[in-house]
Amino acid sequence: MIVRSLSFAVAALLSTVAMSAEQINVNYQYDGNHRAELSRMRGTLRVAEFTDSRELADGRLIVDSDPQGGDGYLAEMEMAALVRAALIQGFEHGNARLVESGEDFSMEGSLNSIESEVIESEIRLTMRVNLQLNRGGRSIWQTNLFGRGSAEDIGGATHAALTRLIRELMNDDYFLIELQ
């Protein structure tokens, strides 16, 4: 009985926190120009589902407190899935041959953290993502990417940070060498 009551209390508390956070529709669409040409890859690429190592009750949480004093922000989808979808758009922009199965390469990722701060009336958002490229069941490349973006609102800062993640990945010479 005590366990059930405790579980109910924790669930109620978590739902209260999630309900008080502002809902944000990031609706990310990659509009950058990274110049990486991936059509000459040595094979196909599958981008696996990403994990969220932030250990939050709600993976949609962008930040748990608004740097301007509010209760935080929730995206329309889990942030790890949003990061994955953004990277897929970056690969598509570079004409990579993406597949859902039977791949030559696979990329795994984990969203490690998202931090925000206010600098000169803009919100600066920093995402830390761990990426690993595999081929033939073994890791051939791994890195931690930092995507930082600033804007007047959290949606714009999130968009800018995702674009920066893509740019950082597509400018990584060691990553590109492994694919070609």
Side-chain angles (χ1 to χ4, degrees):
M1 183 67 169
I2 293 173
V3 172
R4 183 183 300 161
S5 296
L6 183 59
S7 297
F8 180 72
V10 169
L13 177 64
L14 293 176
S15 66
T16 301
V17 170
M19 287 174 37
S20 64
E22 184 179 342
Q23 301 284 322
I24 300 295
N25 188 3
V26 177
N27 192 25
Y28 183 78
Q29 297 296 314
Y30 179 69
D31 58 4
N33 186 12
H34 60 63
R35 301 185 194 271
E37 178 54 50
L38 302 173
S39 63
R40 291 173 273 142
M41 287 174 37
R42 289 185 286 160
T44 57
L45 173 67
R46 178 179 65 88
V47 181
E49 298 298 318
F50 279 34
T51 60
D52 189 335
S53 63
R54 299 179 299 161
E55 299 180 5
L56 301 171
D58 191 339
R60 298 177 304 137
L61 193 65
I62 301 171
V63 291
D64 61 359
S65 63
D66 176 353
Q68 295 173 323
D71 290 329
Y73 299 100
L74 290 173
E76 71 273 15
M77 62 192 301
E78 291 193 3
M79 288 303 296
L82 188 59
V83 169
R84 176 184 181 266
L87 289 174
I88 287 172
Q89 289 181 39
F91 285 124
E92 289 172 341
H93 180 78
N95 300 310
R97 293 179 292 165
L98 299 175
V99 295
E100 294 294 322
S101 63
E103 69 277 358
D104 297 301
F105 298 96
S106 67
M107 174 169 279
E108 298 172 2
S110 175
L111 175 59
N112 294 335
S113 68
I114 301 177
E115 299 166 358
S116 65
E117 60 185 326
V118 175
I119 299 193
E120 297 179 12
S121 75
E122 285 194 331
I123 297 174
R124 177 185 287 173
L125 192 78
T126 303
M127 294 182 186
R128 289 174 176 79
V129 177
N130 179 273
L131 295 176
Q132 181 175 317
L133 183 67
N134 302 306
R135 182 169 189 167
R138 67 179 184 91
S139 174
I140 59 173
W141 173 88
Q142 183 173 352
T143 195
N144 286 302
L145 288 182
F146 297 86
R148 178 173 287 154
S150 297
E152 292 181 4
D153 60 55
I154 196 73
T158 303
H159 191 280
L162 290 167
T163 299
R164 181 67 183 260
L165 280 173
I166 294 168
R167 191 175 331 127
E168 290 298 314
L169 178 60
M170 297 304 166
N171 285 331
D172 187 311
D173 290 335
Y174 294 107
F175 172 71
L176 296 174
I177 286 169
E178 291 297 339
L179 290 175
Q180 298 188 12

